[in-house]
Amino acid sequence: MNNRESFSGKLGFVLSCIGSAIGLGNIWMFSWRLGQYGGAAFLVPYLFFVFVLGTIGLICEFSLGRCKKKGSYSGIKEILEEKNVPFKNIISTIPTIGLFGILIFYSIVVGWIIRYFCSAFAGDFYKVNITDYFNNFVGTSSSIIWHGLAVFITLAIVSFGITKGIEKLNKVIMPALFGIFILLMIRSLTLDGAMEGVKYLLIPDWSYLLKPITWVMALGQAFFTVSLTGSALVVYGSYLKDDVDIPSSALQIVIFDTLSALLAAFIIIPAAFAFGLDPCAGPSLLFITVPSIFKSMAFGQIFSVLFFLSIIFAAVSSAINMMEAPSEALMNRFNLTRFKSVLIIGLIAFIAGIPLDLDMNLFSKFSDFITIYISPLGAVIATIVFFWVYGVDKARKEINKGAKHPLGKWFNPLGKYLFTTVSIIVLILGIIYNGIG
């Protein structure tokens, strides 16, 4: 593809990757896992895994994209062709298919969030039973129009390209998201009874470190929170210039992704305790528990509008990355314009998602299949292709382009053996536990 786009610099790249990493999993999953698995004790394995393995994974995917100046599908296929690896077409497709599958069901959830924002703005939460409101909406035809709006917004942003669309948006909404999070956290912590939630989050129950499930869930949270799919961040890496420091960028992304998860936890959990609601409600924490909190809070409408606006920022910034990767694959494979590729991907994602709009059982089965089997397999493929097929020495050379502190040979076993092995373990554990991310 001629005249390939690129990020204007490290700042735009890092903010875009932070936007991709900060998704709904940061908002609700990290919060209840932190409390459910030992409070501050959970942070011990989580921080170790995310700063060591998460950083290595980001470095791998960014460098794979940059070395070939192509997204996951074309980049992996090219490396496999160079080594005459059989089934190269099928293998190279899997990571992109996995991410596209996530886009299909994720855009539906983005639609739910947009509707909740509009309801918060209109003050509807004060007029209805929140549980009934949610249950009467999801799994019905009422969600289709909001799903379509979510796809349209994502499509419109991605169609503007890297610098004018994705980068420009993230430069605005990522600082805004953190600003809103800080404001909401201050309000949550000043509620009567909120300190019980803080204790729940921070007082460690060290016995949980002796339970394998704590380490398994911390590993899954760390692995998936930074969007390691073998495709999502490969495509962003493909738009990088050679003078960008990938190792330091990866570390900064991990830091801010972790910070966002902690801020979300200190917004939701203390407020849940303050109003006597279940802090371990899982996905319903976002759509039932949180609106119930705002319904009972002084000036709740204002804070609910701010909260769901920040969730829109988090959700859309992830969705645009999910749409960019398969769109880039179409551009490369069929030499299409960006607009045509994005339009095709958007329409297919929307149409494929309509049956999921209408059947929550089908929604759950599809999302589980993609997130438990296909997406982790994509991450394994990217890791093996980059560190084993392409070669760990050549990989490290690509990683060190633009690095102020180049990685030495000590990095080779970390990438080739440690991270590859852990990626495979994550896939296996996900199957055993029916999902850990």
CSV table of all heavy atoms in Angstrom, one decimal, residues 330-374:
chain,number,residue,atom,x,y,z
A,330,LEU,N,-8.2,-5.5,4.9
A,330,LEU,CA,-8.9,-5.4,3.6
A,330,LEU,C,-8.2,-4.4,2.7
A,330,LEU,O,-8.1,-4.7,1.5
A,330,LEU,CB,-10.3,-4.9,3.8
A,330,LEU,CG,-11.4,-5.9,4.1
A,330,LEU,CD1,-12.8,-5.2,4.1
A,330,LEU,CD2,-11.4,-7.1,3.2
A,331,MET,N,-7.7,-3.3,3.2
A,331,MET,CA,-7.0,-2.3,2.4
A,331,MET,C,-5.8,-3.0,1.7
A,331,MET,O,-5.5,-2.8,0.5
A,331,MET,CB,-6.6,-1.1,3.2
A,331,MET,CG,-7.7,-0.1,3.5
A,331,MET,SD,-7.1,1.4,4.3
A,331,MET,CE,-7.0,0.9,6.0
A,332,ASN,N,-5.0,-3.7,2.5
A,332,ASN,CA,-3.8,-4.4,2.0
A,332,ASN,C,-4.1,-5.5,1.0
A,332,ASN,O,-3.5,-5.7,0.0
A,332,ASN,CB,-3.0,-4.9,3.1
A,332,ASN,CG,-1.9,-3.9,3.5
A,332,ASN,OD1,-1.0,-3.6,2.8
A,332,ASN,ND2,-1.9,-3.5,4.8
A,333,ARG,N,-5.1,-6.3,1.4
A,333,ARG,CA,-5.4,-7.5,0.6
A,333,ARG,C,-6.0,-7.2,-0.7
A,333,ARG,O,-5.7,-7.9,-1.7
A,333,ARG,CB,-6.3,-8.4,1.4
A,333,ARG,CG,-6.8,-9.7,0.7
A,333,ARG,CD,-5.6,-10.6,0.5
A,333,ARG,NE,-6.0,-11.9,-0.2
A,333,ARG,CZ,-6.3,-12.0,-1.5
A,333,ARG,NH1,-6.1,-11.0,-2.3
A,333,ARG,NH2,-6.6,-13.2,-2.0
A,334,PHE,N,-6.9,-6.3,-0.8
A,334,PHE,CA,-7.7,-6.0,-2.0
A,334,PHE,C,-7.4,-4.6,-2.6
A,334,PHE,O,-8.1,-4.2,-3.5
A,334,PHE,CB,-9.2,-6.2,-1.7
A,334,PHE,CG,-9.6,-7.5,-1.3
A,334,PHE,CD1,-9.9,-7.8,0.0
A,334,PHE,CD2,-9.6,-8.6,-2.2
A,334,PHE,CE1,-10.2,-9.1,0.4
A,334,PHE,CE2,-10.0,-9.9,-1.8
A,334,PHE,CZ,-10.3,-10.1,-0.5
A,335,ASN,N,-6.4,-3.9,-2.0
A,335,ASN,CA,-6.0,-2.6,-2.5
A,335,ASN,C,-7.2,-1.6,-2.6
A,335,ASN,O,-7.4,-0.9,-3.5
A,335,ASN,CB,-5.4,-2.7,-3.9
A,335,ASN,CG,-4.6,-1.5,-4.3
A,335,ASN,OD1,-4.1,-0.8,-3.4
A,335,ASN,ND2,-4.5,-1.2,-5.5
A,336,LEU,N,-8.0,-1.6,-1.5
A,336,LEU,CA,-9.2,-0.8,-1.4
A,336,LEU,C,-8.9,0.5,-0.7
A,336,LEU,O,-7.9,0.6,0.0
A,336,LEU,CB,-10.3,-1.5,-0.6
A,336,LEU,CG,-10.9,-2.8,-1.2
A,336,LEU,CD1,-11.9,-3.3,-0.2
A,336,LEU,CD2,-11.5,-2.6,-2.5
A,337,THR,N,-9.7,1.5,-0.9
A,337,THR,CA,-9.5,2.8,-0.2
A,337,THR,C,-9.9,2.6,1.2
A,337,THR,O,-10.6,1.6,1.6
A,337,THR,CB,-10.4,3.9,-0.8
A,337,THR,OG1,-11.7,3.6,-0.6
A,337,THR,CG2,-10.1,4.1,-2.3
A,338,ARG,N,-9.4,3.5,2.1
A,338,ARG,CA,-9.7,3.4,3.5
A,338,ARG,C,-11.3,3.4,3.7
A,338,ARG,O,-11.8,2.6,4.5
A,338,ARG,CB,-9.1,4.5,4.3
A,338,ARG,CG,-9.6,4.7,5.7
A,338,ARG,CD,-8.7,5.6,6.5
A,338,ARG,NE,-7.5,5.0,6.9
A,338,ARG,CZ,-7.3,4.2,8.0
A,338,ARG,NH1,-8.3,3.9,8.8
A,338,ARG,NH2,-6.1,3.7,8.2
A,339,PHE,N,-11.9,4.4,3.0
A,339,PHE,CA,-13.4,4.5,3.3
A,339,PHE,C,-14.1,3.3,2.9
A,339,PHE,O,-15.0,2.8,3.6
A,339,PHE,CB,-13.9,5.7,2.5
A,339,PHE,CG,-15.4,5.9,2.6
A,339,PHE,CD1,-15.9,6.5,3.8
A,339,PHE,CD2,-16.3,5.5,1.7
A,339,PHE,CE1,-17.2,6.7,4.0
A,339,PHE,CE2,-17.6,5.7,1.8
A,339,PHE,CZ,-18.1,6.3,3.0
A,340,LYS,N,-13.8,2.7,1.7
A,340,LYS,CA,-14.5,1.4,1.3
A,340,LYS,C,-14.2,0.3,2.3
A,340,LYS,O,-15.2,-0.4,2.6
A,340,LYS,CB,-14.0,1.0,-0.1
A,340,LYS,CG,-14.5,1.9,-1.2
A,340,LYS,CD,-14.1,1.4,-2.6
A,340,LYS,CE,-14.6,2.3,-3.7
A,340,LYS,NZ,-14.1,1.9,-5.0
A,341,SER,N,-13.0,0.2,2.7
A,341,SER,CA,-12.7,-0.9,3.7
A,341,SER,C,-13.4,-0.8,5.0
A,341,SER,O,-14.0,-1.7,5.5
A,341,SER,CB,-11.1,-1.0,3.9
A,341,SER,OG,-10.4,-1.2,2.7
A,342,VAL,N,-13.4,0.4,5.5
A,342,VAL,CA,-14.0,0.7,6.8
A,342,VAL,C,-15.6,0.5,6.7
A,342,VAL,O,-16.2,-0.1,7.6
A,342,VAL,CB,-13.7,2.1,7.3
A,342,VAL,CG1,-14.5,2.5,8.5
A,342,VAL,CG2,-12.2,2.3,7.6
A,343,LEU,N,-16.1,0.9,5.6
A,343,LEU,CA,-17.6,0.8,5.3
A,343,LEU,C,-17.9,-0.7,5.3
A,343,LEU,O,-18.9,-1.1,5.9
A,343,LEU,CB,-18.0,1.5,4.0
A,343,LEU,CG,-19.5,1.5,3.7
A,343,LEU,CD1,-20.3,2.2,4.8
A,343,LEU,CD2,-19.7,2.1,2.3
A,344,ILE,N,-17.2,-1.5,4.6
A,344,ILE,CA,-17.4,-2.9,4.5
A,344,ILE,C,-17.4,-3.6,5.8
A,344,ILE,O,-18.3,-4.4,6.2
A,344,ILE,CB,-16.5,-3.6,3.5
A,344,ILE,CG1,-16.7,-3.1,2.0
A,344,ILE,CG2,-16.5,-5.1,3.6
A,344,ILE,CD1,-15.7,-3.5,1.0
A,345,ILE,N,-16.3,-3.3,6.6
A,345,ILE,CA,-16.1,-3.9,7.9
A,345,ILE,C,-17.3,-3.5,8.8
A,345,ILE,O,-17.8,-4.3,9.6
A,345,ILE,CB,-14.8,-3.6,8.5
A,345,ILE,CG1,-13.6,-4.2,7.7
A,345,ILE,CG2,-14.7,-3.9,10.0
A,345,ILE,CD1,-13.7,-5.7,7.7
A,346,GLY,N,-17.6,-2.2,8.8
A,346,GLY,CA,-18.7,-1.7,9.6
A,346,GLY,C,-20.0,-2.4,9.4
A,346,GLY,O,-20.7,-2.7,10.3
A,347,LEU,N,-20.3,-2.5,8.1
A,347,LEU,CA,-21.6,-3.1,7.7
A,347,LEU,C,-21.7,-4.5,8.1
A,347,LEU,O,-22.7,-5.0,8.6
A,347,LEU,CB,-21.8,-2.9,6.2
A,347,LEU,CG,-22.2,-1.5,5.7
A,347,LEU,CD1,-22.3,-1.4,4.2
A,347,LEU,CD2,-23.5,-1.0,6.3
A,348,ILE,N,-20.6,-5.3,7.8
A,348,ILE,CA,-20.6,-6.7,8.2
A,348,ILE,C,-20.7,-6.9,9.7
A,348,ILE,O,-21.5,-7.7,10.2
A,348,ILE,CB,-19.3,-7.4,7.6
A,348,ILE,CG1,-19.3,-7.4,6.1
A,348,ILE,CG2,-19.2,-8.8,8.2
A,348,ILE,CD1,-18.0,-7.9,5.5
A,349,ALA,N,-20.0,-6.1,10.4
A,349,ALA,CA,-20.0,-6.2,11.9
A,349,ALA,C,-21.4,-5.9,12.4
A,349,ALA,O,-21.9,-6.6,13.3
A,349,ALA,CB,-19.0,-5.2,12.5
A,350,PHE,N,-22.1,-4.9,11.8
A,350,PHE,CA,-23.4,-4.5,12.3
A,350,PHE,C,-24.4,-5.6,12.0
A,350,PHE,O,-25.2,-6.1,12.8
A,350,PHE,CB,-23.9,-3.2,11.6
A,350,PHE,CG,-25.3,-2.9,11.9
A,350,PHE,CD1,-25.7,-2.6,13.2
A,350,PHE,CD2,-26.2,-2.8,10.9
A,350,PHE,CE1,-27.0,-2.3,13.5
A,350,PHE,CE2,-27.6,-2.5,11.2
A,350,PHE,CZ,-28.0,-2.2,12.5
A,351,ILE,N,-24.4,-6.1,10.7
A,351,ILE,CA,-25.4,-7.1,10.3
A,351,ILE,C,-25.1,-8.4,11.1
A,351,ILE,O,-26.1,-9.1,11.5
A,351,ILE,CB,-25.2,-7.4,8.8
A,351,ILE,CG1,-25.7,-6.1,8.0
A,351,ILE,CG2,-26.1,-8.6,8.4
A,351,ILE,CD1,-25.4,-6.2,6.5
A,352,ALA,N,-23.8,-8.8,11.2
A,352,ALA,CA,-23.5,-10.0,12.0
A,352,ALA,C,-23.9,-9.9,13.4
A,352,ALA,O,-24.2,-10.9,14.1
A,352,ALA,CB,-22.0,-10.3,11.9
A,353,GLY,N,-24.0,-8.7,14.0
A,353,GLY,CA,-24.3,-8.5,15.4
A,353,GLY,C,-25.8,-8.5,15.7
A,353,GLY,O,-26.2,-8.6,16.8
A,354,ILE,N,-26.7,-8.3,14.6
A,354,ILE,CA,-28.1,-8.2,14.9
A,354,ILE,C,-28.7,-9.4,15.6
A,354,ILE,O,-29.5,-9.3,16.5
A,354,ILE,CB,-28.8,-7.9,13.5
A,354,ILE,CG1,-28.5,-6.5,13.1
A,354,ILE,CG2,-30.4,-8.1,13.7
A,354,ILE,CD1,-29.1,-6.1,11.7
A,355,PRO,N,-28.3,-10.7,15.1
A,355,PRO,CA,-28.8,-11.8,15.9
A,355,PRO,C,-28.4,-11.8,17.4
A,355,PRO,O,-29.2,-12.3,18.2
A,355,PRO,CB,-28.2,-13.0,15.2
A,355,PRO,CG,-27.9,-12.5,13.8
A,355,PRO,CD,-27.6,-11.1,14.0
A,356,LEU,N,-27.2,-11.3,17.7
A,356,LEU,CA,-26.8,-11.2,19.1
A,356,LEU,C,-27.6,-10.1,19.8
A,356,LEU,O,-27.8,-10.2,21.0
A,356,LEU,CB,-25.3,-10.8,19.1
A,356,LEU,CG,-24.3,-11.7,18.3
A,356,LEU,CD1,-22.9,-11.3,18.6
A,356,LEU,CD2,-24.5,-13.1,18.6
A,357,ASP,N,-28.0,-9.1,19.1
A,357,ASP,CA,-28.9,-8.1,19.7
A,357,ASP,C,-30.2,-8.7,20.3
A,357,ASP,O,-30.7,-8.3,21.3
A,357,ASP,CB,-29.3,-7.0,18.7
A,357,ASP,CG,-28.3,-5.9,18.5
A,357,ASP,OD1,-27.9,-5.3,19.5
A,357,ASP,OD2,-27.9,-5.7,17.3
A,358,LEU,N,-30.7,-9.7,19.5
A,358,LEU,CA,-32.0,-10.3,19.8
A,358,LEU,C,-32.0,-11.5,20.7
A,358,LEU,O,-33.0,-11.9,21.2
A,358,LEU,CB,-32.6,-10.7,18.5
A,358,LEU,CG,-32.8,-9.6,17.4
A,358,LEU,CD1,-33.3,-10.1,16.1
A,358,LEU,CD2,-33.7,-8.5,18.0
A,359,ASP,N,-30.8,-12.0,21.0
A,359,ASP,CA,-30.7,-13.2,21.8
A,359,ASP,C,-29.4,-13.2,22.7
A,359,ASP,O,-28.3,-13.4,22.2
A,359,ASP,CB,-30.6,-14.5,20.9
A,359,ASP,CG,-30.7,-15.8,21.6
A,359,ASP,OD1,-30.4,-15.8,22.8
A,359,ASP,OD2,-31.0,-16.8,20.9
A,360,MET,N,-29.6,-12.9,24.0
A,360,MET,CA,-28.5,-12.8,24.9
A,360,MET,C,-27.8,-14.1,25.1
A,360,MET,O,-26.6,-14.1,25.4
A,360,MET,CB,-29.0,-12.2,26.2
A,360,MET,CG,-29.3,-10.7,26.2
A,360,MET,SD,-28.0,-9.7,25.5
A,360,MET,CE,-26.7,-10.0,26.6
A,361,ASN,N,-28.5,-15.2,25.0
A,361,ASN,CA,-27.8,-16.5,25.1
A,361,ASN,C,-26.8,-16.7,23.9
A,361,ASN,O,-25.7,-17.2,24.1
A,361,ASN,CB,-28.9,-17.6,25.1
A,361,ASN,CG,-28.2,-19.0,25.3
A,361,ASN,OD1,-27.4,-19.2,26.2
A,361,ASN,ND2,-28.6,-20.0,24.5
A,362,LEU,N,-27.3,-16.3,22.7
A,362,LEU,CA,-26.4,-16.4,21.6
A,362,LEU,C,-25.2,-15.4,21.7
A,362,LEU,O,-24.1,-15.7,21.4
A,362,LEU,CB,-27.2,-16.1,20.3
A,362,LEU,CG,-26.4,-16.1,19.0
A,362,LEU,CD1,-25.8,-17.5,18.7
A,362,LEU,CD2,-27.3,-15.7,17.8
A,363,PHE,N,-25.5,-14.2,22.3
A,363,PHE,CA,-24.5,-13.2,22.5
A,363,PHE,C,-23.4,-13.8,23.4
A,363,PHE,O,-22.2,-13.7,23.2
A,363,PHE,CB,-25.1,-12.0,23.2
A,363,PHE,CG,-24.2,-10.9,23.6
A,363,PHE,CD1,-24.1,-9.8,22.7
A,363,PHE,CD2,-23.4,-10.9,24.7
A,363,PHE,CE1,-23.2,-8.7,23.1
A,363,PHE,CE2,-22.5,-9.9,25.1
A,363,PHE,CZ,-22.4,-8.8,24.2
A,364,SER,N,-23.8,-14.4,24.5
A,364,SER,CA,-22.9,-15.0,25.5
A,364,SER,C,-22.0,-16.1,24.8
A,364,SER,O,-20.8,-16.2,25.0
A,364,SER,CB,-23.6,-15.5,26.7
A,364,SER,OG,-24.3,-14.5,27.4
A,365,LYS,N,-22.7,-17.0,24.1
A,365,LYS,CA,-21.9,-18.1,23.5
A,365,LYS,C,-20.9,-17.6,22.4
A,365,LYS,O,-19.8,-18.1,22.4
A,365,LYS,CB,-22.9,-19.0,22.8
A,365,LYS,CG,-23.8,-19.9,23.8
A,365,LYS,CD,-24.7,-20.8,23.0
A,365,LYS,CE,-25.5,-21.7,24.0
A,365,LYS,NZ,-26.5,-22.6,23.3
A,366,PHE,N,-21.3,-16.6,21.6
A,366,PHE,CA,-20.4,-16.1,20.6
A,366,PHE,C,-19.3,-15.3,21.3
A,366,PHE,O,-18.1,-15.5,20.9
A,366,PHE,CB,-21.2,-15.1,19.7
A,366,PHE,CG,-20.3,-14.5,18.7
A,366,PHE,CD1,-20.0,-15.2,17.5
A,366,PHE,CD2,-19.9,-13.2,18.8
A,366,PHE,CE1,-19.2,-14.6,16.5
A,366,PHE,CE2,-19.1,-12.6,17.8
A,366,PHE,CZ,-18.7,-13.3,16.7
A,367,SER,N,-19.5,-14.5,22.2
A,367,SER,CA,-18.5,-13.7,22.9
A,367,SER,C,-17.5,-14.6,23.6
A,367,SER,O,-16.3,-14.4,23.6
A,367,SER,CB,-19.1,-12.7,23.8
A,367,SER,OG,-19.8,-13.3,24.9
A,368,ASP,N,-18.0,-15.7,24.3
A,368,ASP,CA,-17.2,-16.7,24.9
A,368,ASP,C,-16.3,-17.4,23.9
A,368,ASP,O,-15.1,-17.6,24.2
A,368,ASP,CB,-18.0,-17.7,25.7
A,368,ASP,CG,-18.6,-17.1,27.0
A,368,ASP,OD1,-18.1,-16.0,27.4
A,368,ASP,OD2,-19.5,-17.8,27.6
A,369,PHE,N,-16.8,-17.8,22.8
A,369,PHE,CA,-16.0,-18.5,21.8
A,369,PHE,C,-14.9,-17.6,21.3
A,369,PHE,O,-13.7,-18.1,21.2
A,369,PHE,CB,-16.9,-18.9,20.6
A,369,PHE,CG,-16.2,-19.5,19.5
A,369,PHE,CD1,-15.7,-20.8,19.6
A,369,PHE,CD2,-16.0,-18.9,18.3
A,369,PHE,CE1,-15.0,-21.4,18.6
A,369,PHE,CE2,-15.3,-19.4,17.3
A,369,PHE,CZ,-14.8,-20.7,17.4
A,370,ILE,N,-15.2,-16.4,21.0
A,370,ILE,CA,-14.2,-15.5,20.5
A,370,ILE,C,-13.1,-15.2,21.6
A,370,ILE,O,-11.9,-15.2,21.3
A,370,ILE,CB,-14.8,-14.2,20.0
A,370,ILE,CG1,-15.7,-14.4,18.8
A,370,ILE,CG2,-13.7,-13.1,19.7
A,370,ILE,CD1,-15.0,-14.9,17.6
A,371,THR,N,-13.5,-14.8,22.8
A,371,THR,CA,-12.6,-14.4,23.8
A,371,THR,C,-11.8,-15.5,24.5
A,371,THR,O,-10.7,-15.3,25.0
A,371,THR,CB,-13.3,-13.5,24.9
A,371,THR,OG1,-14.4,-14.3,25.5
A,371,THR,CG2,-13.8,-12.3,24.3
A,372,ILE,N,-12.4,-16.7,24.5
A,372,ILE,CA,-11.7,-17.9,25.1
A,372,ILE,C,-10.8,-18.6,24.2
A,372,ILE,O,-9.8,-19.1,24.6
A,372,ILE,CB,-12.8,-18.8,25.8
A,372,ILE,CG1,-13.5,-18.1,26.9
A,372,ILE,CG2,-12.1,-20.1,26.3
A,372,ILE,CD1,-14.7,-18.9,27.5
A,373,TYR,N,-11.3,-18.7,22.9
A,373,TYR,CA,-10.5,-19.6,22.0
A,373,TYR,C,-9.8,-18.8,20.9
A,373,TYR,O,-8.5,-18.9,20.8
A,373,TYR,CB,-11.5,-20.5,21.3
A,373,TYR,CG,-12.1,-21.5,22.2
A,373,TYR,CD1,-13.4,-21.3,22.8
A,373,TYR,CD2,-11.5,-22.7,22.6
A,373,TYR,CE1,-14.0,-22.2,23.6
A,373,TYR,CE2,-12.1,-23.6,23.4
A,373,TYR,CZ,-13.4,-23.3,24.0
A,373,TYR,OH,-14.0,-24.2,24.8
A,374,ILE,N,-10.5,-17.9,20.1
A,374,ILE,CA,-9.9,-17.3,18.9
A,374,ILE,C,-8.9,-16.2,19.3
A,374,ILE,O,-7.8,-16.2,18.8
A,374,ILE,CB,-11.0,-16.8,18.0
A,374,ILE,CG1,-12.0,-17.9,17.7
A,374,ILE,CG2,-10.4,-16.3,16.7
A,374,ILE,CD1,-11.4,-19.2,17.1
